[in-house]
Amino acid sequence: MPLLQIEGLTGGYGAVDIVHDITLSVEAGEIVTIAGTNGAGKSTLLRGLFGLLPRATGRVRLAGQDLSALPTEDRIAAGLACVPQVANVFAHMSVLENLHVAAGGRIKGTDLERVLALFPVLRDRRAQSAGSLSGGERQQLAFARAMVRAPQVMVLDEPTAALAPSLVGRVFELVQALPAQGVAVLMVEQRARQALALSDRGCILDQGRVVMQGRAQDLLRDEGMTRLYLGSDSTL
Ligand SMILES: Nc1ncnc2c1ncn2[C@@H]1O[C@H](COP(=O)(O)OP(=O)(O)O)[C@@H](O)[C@H]1O
Ligand SMILES: [Mg+2]
């Protein structure tokens, strides 16, 4: 049984469906990348996964537990974590306050030590406002916030999108380190080739439908698909 199973997810914001019958799984220890052109429905799919779409049908299961009818907060409590595409930290709050909020109250000492051990730079910066962090440090705080509740699956929406090119590699390293922490990854990325290169499996969305799904290596080897959906090598 996969750790995370999305089954037949269909839904959207208004009368028109944006994503159609999406079936996708993540096994324990895996990194799975969702690729696809702008507007393909990647972020919408993630909203459906978290119960944030106004209208959705289909099933979401995490470690066998059916989350489909649960509100977002309960899905997070069950072990899903999210690093959103934008606004993933509170800029006016300190690093420590950001971690308190992520914990849903005062963060436990053991949880604080666990995330500071993962992201040591935050220890020195913990009294500093998140808005004063560098881009790379800020992204580490976003990851740390998602790690506070020791999730089973981390969901990342374009984690490198807002970063200076020099920081992209560092963020991919953070992603790659997650399975060793017992956290599987479901990631949407525009830098699809780079993301697939460090993924176990991948899925390509087009106009809200899965057009290809399989081992990341096989996706990268499919020249027709990569040319059509993964852009040129300039995304590297
Ligand atoms: N909040 C929203 N309300 C209505 N339509 C939306 C909303 N967000 C996205 N859409 C539409 O859903 C489609 C897919 O968008 P999105 O999921 O953001 O794509 P991607 O993340 O792949 O770039 C687009 O046509 C977009 O205009
Ligand atoms: Mg998006």
Side-chain angles (χ1 to χ4, degrees):
M1 182 177 51
L3 178 58
L4 175 67
Q5 176 79 53
I6 299 170
E7 221 175 274
L9 186 90
T10 295
Y13 304 91
V16 181
D17 287 333
I18 301 288
V19 289
H20 308 269
D21 196 23
I22 310 272
T23 293
L24 180 65
S25 64
V26 181
E27 306 278 347
E30 269 192 328
I31 300 177
V32 176
T33 287
I34 302 167
T37 49
N38 239 340
K42 305 179 297 296
S43 295
T44 300
L45 167 61
L46 298 188
R47 283 189 201 108
L49 168 59
F50 278 89
L52 289 167
L53 273 187
R55 207 171 41 73
T57 57
R59 302 231 153 270
V60 174
R61 284 194 191 81
L62 182 67
Q65 185 189 357
D66 192 338
L67 307 183
S68 318
L70 299 182
T72 307
E73 180 53 33
D74 292 355
R75 298 185 192 209
I76 291 168
L80 284 183
C82 184
V83 177
Q85 194 168 345
V86 289
N88 52 22
V89 302
F90 295 107
H92 60 286
M93 289 186 190
S94 74
V95 166
L96 188 57
E97 285 164 347
N98 266 278
L99 295 174
H100 286 321
V101 172
R106 202 174 169 76
I107 188 171
K108 277 195 285 181
T110 48
D111 288 335
L112 180 61
E113 278 312 309
R114 181 171 49 77
V115 296
L116 292 181
L118 289 174
F119 307 101
V121 69
L122 299 179
R123 191 184 293 280
D124 310 329
R125 302 264 189 271
R126 67 186 145 179
Q128 215 170 297
S129 78
S132 70
L133 299 177
S134 72
E137 290 165 352
R138 196 190 278 225
Q139 202 65 335
Q140 289 188 59
L141 176 57
F143 274 61
R145 295 186 78 247
M147 289 291 279
V148 162
R149 300 200 199 188
Q152 300 193 67
V153 180
M154 178 92 96
V155 179
L156 304 157
D157 196 351
E158 304 206 20
T160 73
L163 296 181
S166 58
L167 292 170
V168 168
R170 174 74 188 113
V171 168
F172 280 133
E173 281 171 21
L174 295 178
V175 172
Q176 251 177 317
L178 290 170
Q181 305 296 327
V183 181
V185 178
L186 181 62
M187 157 170 69
V188 166
E189 250 304 333
Q190 282 293 325
R191 293 180 165 90
R193 289 167 202 271
Q194 246 177 309
L196 285 169
L198 58 84
S199 298
D200 299 286
R201 288 185 302 115
C203 151
I204 298 177
L205 280 194
D206 185 31
Q207 297 182 47
R209 293 176 201 276
V210 175
V211 290
M212 192 177 179
Q213 175 154 211
R215 295 196 326 148
Q217 289 173 347
D218 295 337
L219 263 62
L220 285 169
R221 252 189 241 119
D222 189 320
E223 281 180 27
M225 276 291 167
T226 52
R227 201 175 310 119
L228 206 52
Y229 295 111
L230 305 188
S232 66
D233 283 348
S234 64
T235 53
L236 277 175

